[in-house]
């Protein structure tokens, strides 16, 4: 396929999402002089699982990180267009980034528990927000660990070092940690790519339960995973949004040939 | 086959192995020499009595054996003969060829004295107040013991009077003098001055009475004396009060010798120096070294960590920050004597002089802070070690994985919270490495100290029981300088040499102890923060 940046068909985007919690409006992102995202227009529906799929380097992780302004950490990053979360423009100069990151949480590809106890890891978000009452913290820790399907395994060793957990447990801990601050949106950047199949299944189960209360955006390389757990899917290619549709539609009757080629595995 | 040999990497294994072996050899050689020369110093070795062919009798401890310079196969031995007040020198060489026979007579006695070093001889008589108490060798020995105890008790009284009572009076008189001076400078009323004069006179009266008491005790102490016969037949009299320790080396069993060894070892570590630092203990130097290292660390470590934090976390990484980093790294390579000069000019004369003018004008022209002291010495060394701390801290901070930082920020931390709660604790093992290196470097430097506050003999410790407890303007003693002073500035180099080795051994042990503590702490931390690279 000879795809040249700047010359593709218009992206297909499914009909209006009713309650978009995150709206991406003509977002372009540059790392220095290199452009990574081209005019992305996207609305993420509330309390659903949205998957971002696409080949490596297509910008899905970049877009994900733009949603909670983690790209601010990269000095050369620069954006045009805007992103609105619950109606507010998050790139406005006086917008409270700290608050944004509490409301839009993130789980990373490689689990990154802090070198503290399991309890302290989960309680971290609340502590830095100023909450120090142990009753509140205890309750939150238990609730989050249950939501992440980890409570039963660690309830007797909350004071143990988090680094002693297995890979899958650590990732669930990171999910619990993110849930503890009660975000509205949970971003997940390939959360299962470093895990074995059993652990992956448990995380996917967790995600399916979480979507009742949280909006989830998940970046994944694994098309089967996207098909299994997501309600909506966005397909990216070379920095552009190619197609955004309900998952069932996307995988059975994709609108654009490019999408069809990707989901059937003709290129990846 | 030879090609295989080269490609297989065997020569490389040999090369790296021999380099390591060489290093180990050097280290063990260094430690071995110090141990060999230093450990045996306090052992009460036997006294030999040499009968020479020409009729001379020499009594002493054998300390060395050498080939005579122009005659191979001919040896000479060096003996410590003591009795410097009688012979003029402590040591003497005797050619082995001149020796007719050697004996180890049992009744010979060693006196370690307050002045003039050791005395070796045979007990003749013991007198008190002119009366002869005993005149036979073993009787004298028995009579000597209770007299020694009584003398020791009197010494304690003397020391207590001098140190506490007279010390207090001295302090009060000095404070009074400063008060007078202050009043003079501020323009005083004659009534105020008169009151001070009265207090002054009262203090002097008390001082005289205490002096009298002191002199009385001293006079009591001088009444008992022992006379000994030296190897060449001469008789000398030694005051019992001057004897620090006495024993009969040739009559002691192993346990007795071990006892003396431990006693002398303890005296070395906890006692005061005598005889121009060639005998006695090194406690003030030990104390001064430890206190200085602590002050230095207190100054350098927080300062260095904070500076590194700013450089790595907050400063915008550009040309300026790179220049600062280069400057800091270069600072670590500056010769330490240059730091000494800077310390002298800036701290001692600059800051110290200003402090004197502002806060202690009444003491001038005698400087208080405007001269070398433990504070300025510690700060100078802190400057020396700060670059090490900064570099190590920066490396440790850089080694904290990005995922950890992003994880913290992703939960809504501010930058400060991320640094304080996640980055710093993870970087702690690496920071401690830097602190260990810095402390080790600082503890070993002597040159800058010589011009900013170390002295050969300090009258007081910089920390005592009197307000304000920490006397940071005082000069202090330091083990490294002590080694230099004893080894090279001593009037009696032969006698001093053993002290050099024992002091060096002690210094090695202290640095080892400091390092081991820090390493243990760091290892404990490392196990807790297993995710970091350091």
């Amino acid at each position: 396929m000879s795809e040249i940046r700047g010359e593709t068909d218009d992206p297909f985007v499914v009909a209006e999402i009713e309650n978009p919690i995150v709206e991406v409006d003509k977002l372009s992102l540059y790392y220095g002089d290199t452009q990574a995202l081209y005019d992305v227009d996207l609305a993420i529906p509330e309390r659903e699982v949205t998957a971002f799929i696409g080949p490596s380097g297509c910008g899905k992780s970049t877009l994900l990180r733009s949603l909670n302004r983690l790209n601010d950490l990269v000095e050369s990053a620069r954006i045009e267009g805007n992103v609105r979360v619950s109606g507010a423009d998050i790139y406005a100069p006086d917008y409270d980034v700290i608050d944004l990151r509490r409301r839009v949480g993130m789980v990373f590809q490689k689990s990154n528990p802090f070198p503290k106890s399991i309890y302290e890891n989960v309680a971290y978000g609340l502590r830095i927000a100023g909450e120090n009452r142990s009753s509140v913290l205890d309750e939150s820790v238990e609730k989050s660990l249950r939501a992440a399907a980890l409570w039963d395994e660690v309830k007797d060793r909350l004071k143990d070092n988090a680094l002693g957990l297995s890979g899958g447990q650590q990732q669930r801990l990171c999910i619990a940690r993110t849930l503890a601050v009660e975000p509205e949106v949970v971003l997940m950047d390939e959360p299962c790519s470093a895990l074995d199949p059993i652990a992956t299944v448990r995380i996917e189960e967790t995600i399916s339960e979480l979507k009742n209360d949280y909006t989830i955006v998940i970046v994944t390389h694994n098309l089967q995973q996207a098909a299994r757990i997501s309600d909506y899917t966005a397909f990216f290619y070379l920095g552009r949004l190619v197609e955004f549709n309900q998952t069932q539609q996307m995988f059975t009757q994709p609108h654009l040939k490019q999408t069809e080629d990707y989901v059937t595995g003709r290129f990846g | 086959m030879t090609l295989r040999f080269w490609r297989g990497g065997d020569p490389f294994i040999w090369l790296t192995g021999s380099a390591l072996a060489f290093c180990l050899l050097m280290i063990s050689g260094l430690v071995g020499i110090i141990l060999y020369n230093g450990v045996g110093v306090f052992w009460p070795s036997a006294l030999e009595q040499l009968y020479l062919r020409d009729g001379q009798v020499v009594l002493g401890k054998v300390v060395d054996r050498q080939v005579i310079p122009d005659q191979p196969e001919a040896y000479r031995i060096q003996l410590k003969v003591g009795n410097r007040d009688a012979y003029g020198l402590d040591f003497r060489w005797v050619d082995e060829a001149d020796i007719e026979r050697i004996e180890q007579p049992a009744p010979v006695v060693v006196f370690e004295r307050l002045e003039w070093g050791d005395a070796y001889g045979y007990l003749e008589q013991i007198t008190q107040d002119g009366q002869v108490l005993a005149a036979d060798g073993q009787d004298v020995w028995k009579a000597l013991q209770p007299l020694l105890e009584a003398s020791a008790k009197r010494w304690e009284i003397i020391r207590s009077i001098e140190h506490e009572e007279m010390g207090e009076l001295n302090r009060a008189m000095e404070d009074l003098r400063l008060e007078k001076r202050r009043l003079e400078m501020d323009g005083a009323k004659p009534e105020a001055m008169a009151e001070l004069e009265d207090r002054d006179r009262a203090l002097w009266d008390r001082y005289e009475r205490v002096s009298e008491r002191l002199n009385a005790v001293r006079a009591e102490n001088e009444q008992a004396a022992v006379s000994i016969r030296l190897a060449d037949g001469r008789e000398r009299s030694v005051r019992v009060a001057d004897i620090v320790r006495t024993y009969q080396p040739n009559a002691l069993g192993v346990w007795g010798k071990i006892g003396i060894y431990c006693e002398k070892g303890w005296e070395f570590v906890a006692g005061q120096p005598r005889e121009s630092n060639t005998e006695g203990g090194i406690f003030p130097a030990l104390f001064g070294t430890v206190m200085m290292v602590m002050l230095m660390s207190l100054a350098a470590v927080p300062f260095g960590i904070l500076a590194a934090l700013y450089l790595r976390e907050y400063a915008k990484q550009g040309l300026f920050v790179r220049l600062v980093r280069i400057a800091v790294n270069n600072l670590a390579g500056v010769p330490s004597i240059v730091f000494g000069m800077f310390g002298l000019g800036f701290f001692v004369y600059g800051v110290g002089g200003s402090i004197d003018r502002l806060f202690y004008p009444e003491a001038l022209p005698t400087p208080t802070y405007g001269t070398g002291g433990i504070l300025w010495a510690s700060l100078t060394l802190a400057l020396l070690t700060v670059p090490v701390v900064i570099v190590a801290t920066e490396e440790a901070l850089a080694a904290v994985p990005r995922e950890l930082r992003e994880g913290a920020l992703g939960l809504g931390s501010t930058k400060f919270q991320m640094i304080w709660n996640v980055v710093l604790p993870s970087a702690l093992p690496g920071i401690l490495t830097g602190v260990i290196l810095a402390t080790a470097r600082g503890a070993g430097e002597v040159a800058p100290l010589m011009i900013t506050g170390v002295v050969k003999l300090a009258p007081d410790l910089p920390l005592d029981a009197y307000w304000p407890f920490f006397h940071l303007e005082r000069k202090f003693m330091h083990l490294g300088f002590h080694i230099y002073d004893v080894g090279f500035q001593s009037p009696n180099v032969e006698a001093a040499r053993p002290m050099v080795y024992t002091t060096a051994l002690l210094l090695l042990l202290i640095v080892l102890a400091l390092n081991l503590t820090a390493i243990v702490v760091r290892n404990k931390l490392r196990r807790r923060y297993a995710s970091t690279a350091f």
Side-chain angles (χ1 to χ4, degrees), chain B residues 91-291:
Chain B
F91 293 83
R92 110 174 231 191
W93 289 99
V94 174
D95 289 349
E96 278 188 353
D98 294 341
I99 301 176
E100 197 189 300
R101 71 173 192 284
I102 305 180
E103 280 177 8
Q104 289 191 354
V108 86
V109 129
V110 171
F111 286 153
E112 289 180 17
R113 301 182 289 185
L114 283 180
E115 282 183 344
W116 299 109
D118 292 356
Y120 305 141
Y122 296 90
L123 294 170
E124 289 273 290
Q125 242 190 24
I126 182 162
T127 59
Q128 175 156 22
D129 239 345
Q131 274 191 317
V132 178
L133 292 178
D136 175 82
Q138 280 312 102
D139 291 338
V140 173
W141 178 253
K142 285 203 208 67
L144 183 56
Q145 307 306 316
L147 285 181
L148 276 175
E149 273 181 42
S151 160
K153 285 203 187 74
R154 267 182 238 119
W155 271 118
E156 264 188 51
I157 297 176
I158 292 174
R159 265 186 266 279
S160 134
I161 294 180
E162 276 182 342
H163 206 240
E164 281 155 43
E165 293 184 47
M166 291 189 127
E168 198 190 308
L169 284 172
N170 277 330
R171 268 188 302 279
M173 290 200 276
E174 176 67 11
D175 286 342
L176 202 57
R177 181 186 78 88
L178 292 178
E179 221 186 301
K180 275 202 279 191
R181 187 96 176 78
R182 218 175 294 134
L183 278 187
E184 271 171 25
M185 287 166 43
D186 292 343
K189 294 187 289 262
E191 308 93 62
M193 293 299 284
E195 193 229 330
L196 289 180
E197 294 289 340
D198 286 337
R199 278 162 57 191
D200 205 23
R201 263 194 299 276
L203 283 175
W204 272 109
D205 282 338
R206 275 176 62 194
Y207 191 84
E208 274 176 22
R209 270 174 281 140
V210 173
S211 274
E212 273 168 44
R213 236 186 330 135
L214 186 65
N215 290 336
V217 180
R218 280 205 190 189
E220 254 183 63
N221 231 2
E222 300 187 0
Q223 288 169 356
V226 185
S227 64
I228 52 173
R229 192 186 75 244
L230 305 180
D232 56 2
R234 278 188 277 175
E235 270 199 35
R236 306 254 357 145
S237 175
V238 178
R239 276 209 299 260
V240 173
D242 286 342
I243 300 177
V244 174
R245 187 176 292 110
T246 173
Y247 50 93
Q248 296 179 304
N250 295 345
L252 280 176
V254 175
W255 284 111
K257 291 193 177 178
I258 290 179
I260 301 279
Y261 184 79
C262 293
E263 239 186 81
K264 292 188 72 164
W266 178 249
E267 183 197 35
F268 178 68
V269 171
Q272 302 286 326
R274 302 195 295 267
E275 285 290 314
S276 184
N277 288 349
T278 62
E279 282 182 28
I282 49 139
F283 180 69
L286 184 58
F287 188 86
T289 309
V290 172
M291 184 165 166

Side-chain angles (χ1 to χ4, degrees), chain B residues 411-467:
Chain B
L411 289 167
S413 309
T414 58
K415 190 163 189 181
F416 167 68
Q417 286 171 326
M418 172 190 83
I419 294 176
W420 187 255
N421 291 318
V422 176
V423 175
L424 258 188
S426 301
L428 214 50
I431 294 178
L432 263 180
T433 306
V435 170
I436 295 171
L437 289 173
T439 314
R441 168 126 196 249
E445 292 287 347
V446 178
L449 295 177
M450 297 204 287
I451 40 185
T452 47
V454 162
V455 283
K456 182 191 173 80
L457 192 61
D460 287 308
L461 292 177
L463 174 67
D464 61 23
Y466 305 104
W467 176 265

